[in-house]
């Protein structure tokens, strides 16, 4: 999870290089189904909410 933002950036780099208008929507349009699934997985890991500490969970 800690590496997810960097992994997402590395994953998106080749798509962004192909674009003149560099935005996420345009990059997604270039992806095939497998690439979109990987993108969704990485995005989910990168944006997963922080779990707060619950002191009475024991």
């Amino acid at each position: 999870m800690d590496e997810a933002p960097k992994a997402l950036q590395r994953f998106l780099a080749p798509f962004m290089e192909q674009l003149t208008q560099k935005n996420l929507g345009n990059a997604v349009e270039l992806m095939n189904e497998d690439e979109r699934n990987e993108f969704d997985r990485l995005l989910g890991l990168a944006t997963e909410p922080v779990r707060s500490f619950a002191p009475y969970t024991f």
Side-chain angles (χ1 to χ4, degrees), residues 24-46:
L24 200 51
N26 290 345
V28 171
E29 289 178 9
L30 297 175
M31 296 177 191
N32 64 35
E33 185 177 348
D34 291 335
E35 291 166 334
R36 266 181 259 146
N37 290 336
E38 179 64 7
F39 170 70
D40 288 341
R41 185 185 76 79
L42 289 171
L43 188 60
L45 289 172

Side-chain angles (χ1 to χ4, degrees), residues 1-22:
M1 257 174 63
D2 294 336
E3 294 296 316
K6 289 180 183 179
L8 182 60
Q9 186 176 13
R10 285 190 302 269
F11 176 79
L12 286 173
F15 298 104
M16 292 299 189
E17 289 175 5
Q18 298 177 45
L19 299 171
T20 54
Q21 268 192 312
K22 298 181 186 316

